[in-house]
Amino acid sequence: MYDWTIDGMLRAGFSKKMADYLHGLWKQEKESGLWAEEDLEWAHARGFLAESAVAYNLKEAEHIEDYLSDYEYYRIWPLNSWERIWINDKLTLKYMLAGTKYDRYMPKYFYYKTEDRLMPLMDCPEDCRHSSADAVALLVEREKKVACKPCNGALSVGFFELSYENETFYINGEVCGKEELRSFVEKHPNYIYTEYFVPSTQLGEIFPLIHTIRVLAIKDGEEKSKIAGGYLRFGTKDSGHANYMNSNSATVFAYDVKIDTESGRFSEGKAVYIDRIEDMPYHPDTNVLVEGTIDLWEEARDMVIGITEYLGLCEYMGFDICFTNKGVKIMEINSHSGIKHLQMRKPLLEEEWCRTYFAKKIEALDRLTSEEITKRNQLMR
């Protein structure tokens, strides 16, 4: 039986950070009215949130034990040691890969906005390399489109598209003047300004804004890095400039697609609501059949494995990659990415090597002394 109270989680070895987070999700779904009480009890008794149990169709699953539970996944955070700082924010990752053979897979980085100034970065054009807010306007005029996002964030929160067309500036498609653009820059510290991605012709025909492919890679000690799973997601007209919708109501869905991480074959589009999954083989806005094999997939796989080996002290990495008109690109790498959408397509514990990896992490927590548990409760980053 799982104890979903904060005190119970702390006794089980959770960090206070993750205990608070998971307890909040547990409480939110109990109060949502979306599930019958018996369904909530069934899922929670097995360590799963109700929304995960629905996404995995757990009541019909032949092998529930193949699915890593939400309770255990949040309990074993952090899977990476202190070296997770190498990937936890976009700017550090950029510098970690700069000058390596993997540098070409990163977007161009133009500026970073500190609390008090705009700092030109390595890919900033020479004539834009000054620290006034007007430099961004000059850059946007030159590039036509620039992406702007928090240096460390999640779920596509805070993403902006800055653009210039017909002598007019736009923020997320809304007209703005130079003064408004200057104000925007000043009001968004800890933001980076990067190359704007345009999807490859193949994937752009499905939806014109950039997609994301999440690929989970694991390096277990001396073993060669392996890919544990992945999925493809597309934006919709409702998701705006982001391609992820946090499905926290019965009327909002994310659009997910199965991908074979060996071959790059994709198919079986689904609308993922918080309380149900609906088959949707055609994109809901463009009505294009979402099916095919991704061009350059072998190169993308080699890149993921290569970077996982190169940053080998980070043993657990969730890559967000895309396929653009300039080739394969990395959006970011996550140190503890969500697993619901991954396990919808392939249970993480289905393969023996992956089951063993997670089992070792759980068993290590079960052996902790009370003093070690107290110390672990205090982990914040």
Side-chain angles (χ1 to χ4, degrees), residues 198-209 211 234 286 288 323:
V198 176
S200 66
T201 300
Q202 179 193 28
L203 297 179
E205 288 177 352
I206 297 171
F207 192 69
L209 298 181
H211 50 277
F234 286 98
T286 62
V288 174
F323 291 79

Side-chain angles (χ1 to χ4, degrees), residues 52 60 73-74 78 104 151 153 164 208-209 214-215 218 262 284 308-309 317 364:
S52 299
E60 304 297 325
Y73 186 58
Y74 286 100
R104 65 192 177 96
C151 189
Y164 182 78
L209 298 181
R214 168 65 54 79
V215 180
I218 296 174
E262 286 295 322
T308 307
E309 289 288 321
M317 295 196 282

Side-chain angles (χ1 to χ4, degrees), residues 115-135:
E115 286 288 345
D116 57 1
R117 73 186 185 99
L118 187 71
M119 185 172 74
L121 299 175
M122 63 277 286
D123 300 313
C124 187
E126 283 299 324
D127 58 343
C128 299
R129 296 187 69 85
H130 54 91
S131 59
S132 75
D134 287 332

Side-chain angles (χ1 to χ4, degrees), residues 80-83 86 219 308-315:
N80 294 313
S81 189
W82 69 265
E83 294 88 0
W86 295 348
K219 181 168 178 58
T308 307
E309 289 288 321
Y310 177 66
L311 301 178
L313 290 174
C314 287
E315 61 186 77

Side-chain angles (χ1 to χ4, degrees), residues 6-275:
I6 292 176
D7 285 345
M9 291 181 190
L10 293 177
R11 287 194 298 271
F14 276 76
S15 68
K16 180 67 163 55
K17 172 182 175 177
M18 286 300 169
D20 286 341
Y21 180 72
L22 185 59
H23 178 78
L25 295 178
W26 171 84
K27 183 178 179 182
Q28 178 179 301
E29 67 178 21
K30 283 180 72 69
E31 296 173 351
S32 69
L34 291 171
W35 290 276
E37 187 62 34
E38 59 266 29
D39 291 333
L40 288 171
E41 290 178 0
W42 187 93
H44 296 163
R46 289 158 178 80
F48 294 89
L49 292 167
E51 69 167 287
S52 299
V54 167
Y56 310 153
N57 195 21
L58 277 188
K59 285 192 173 182
E60 304 297 325
E62 289 186 23
H63 300 287
I64 294 179
E65 68 275 9
D66 285 346
Y67 292 87
L68 180 62
S69 73
D70 297 303
Y71 192 94
E72 295 295 6
Y73 186 58
Y74 286 100
R75 186 163 82 109
I76 58 180
W77 179 89
L79 287 160
N80 294 313
S81 189
W82 69 265
E83 294 88 0
R84 60 189 176 275
I85 63 174
W86 295 348
I87 61 173
N88 272 357
D89 73 77
K90 300 173 182 67
L91 189 54
T92 304
L93 175 63
K94 174 70 172 178
Y95 277 101
M96 289 297 297
L97 298 181
T100 74
K101 63 181 179 180
Y102 304 112
D103 194 3
R104 65 192 177 96
Y105 295 113
M106 292 293 292
K108 293 179 180 177
Y109 274 40
F110 301 120
Y111 298 106
Y112 173 69
K113 177 65 172 66
T114 70
E115 286 288 345
D116 57 1
R117 73 186 185 99
L118 187 71
M119 185 172 74
L121 299 175
M122 63 277 286
D123 300 313
C124 187
E126 283 299 324
D127 58 343
C128 299
R129 296 187 69 85
H130 54 91
S131 59
S132 75
D134 287 332
V136 172
L138 184 60
L139 176 74
V140 175
E141 280 188 51
R142 181 190 184 109
E143 295 291 318
K144 305 309 178 190
K145 284 190 177 182
V146 172
C148 175
K149 49 198 171 184
C151 189
N152 36 26
L155 306 179
S156 300
V157 174
F159 177 90
F160 293 93
E161 174 198 294
L162 310 182
S163 58
Y164 182 78
E165 186 178 3
N166 297 328
E167 301 184 350
T168 304
F169 291 101
Y170 299 85
I171 298 177
N172 283 353
E174 299 291 329
V175 174
C176 73
K178 269 193 176 182
E179 185 59 41
E180 188 178 351
L181 185 60
R182 183 184 298 112
S183 176
F184 172 88
V185 174
E186 295 296 346
K187 291 178 180 177
H188 288 82
N190 195 38
Y191 267 61
I192 55 171
Y193 295 79
T194 74
E195 178 181 6
Y196 185 90
F197 288 147
V198 176
S200 66
T201 300
Q202 179 193 28
L203 297 179
E205 288 177 352
I206 297 171
F207 192 69
L209 298 181
I210 201 66
H211 50 277
T212 297
I213 299 176
R214 168 65 54 79
V215 180
L216 176 59
I218 296 174
K219 181 168 178 58
D220 187 5
E222 297 299 315
E223 297 292 322
K224 177 77 173 178
S225 302
K226 296 178 183 177
I227 291 177
Y231 75 98
L232 165 61
R233 67 177 184 246
F234 286 98
T236 65
K237 63 182 176 72
D238 292 331
S239 62
H241 294 277
N243 58 39
Y244 179 79
M245 291 290 284
N246 189 15
S247 305
N248 55 10
S249 79
T251 60
V252 175
F253 69 87
Y255 187 64
D256 279 16
V257 180
K258 178 181 179 179
I259 187 164
D260 183 325
T261 57
E262 286 295 322
S263 67
R265 178 75 184 168
F266 62 95
S267 60
E268 300 180 26
K270 294 184 184 293
V272 184
Y273 294 87
I274 192 171
D275 62 341

Side-chain angles (χ1 to χ4, degrees), residues 64 231 276 297 320 355:
I64 294 179
Y231 75 98
R276 66 194 187 279
W297 183 253
D320 282 352
R355 181 190 294 272

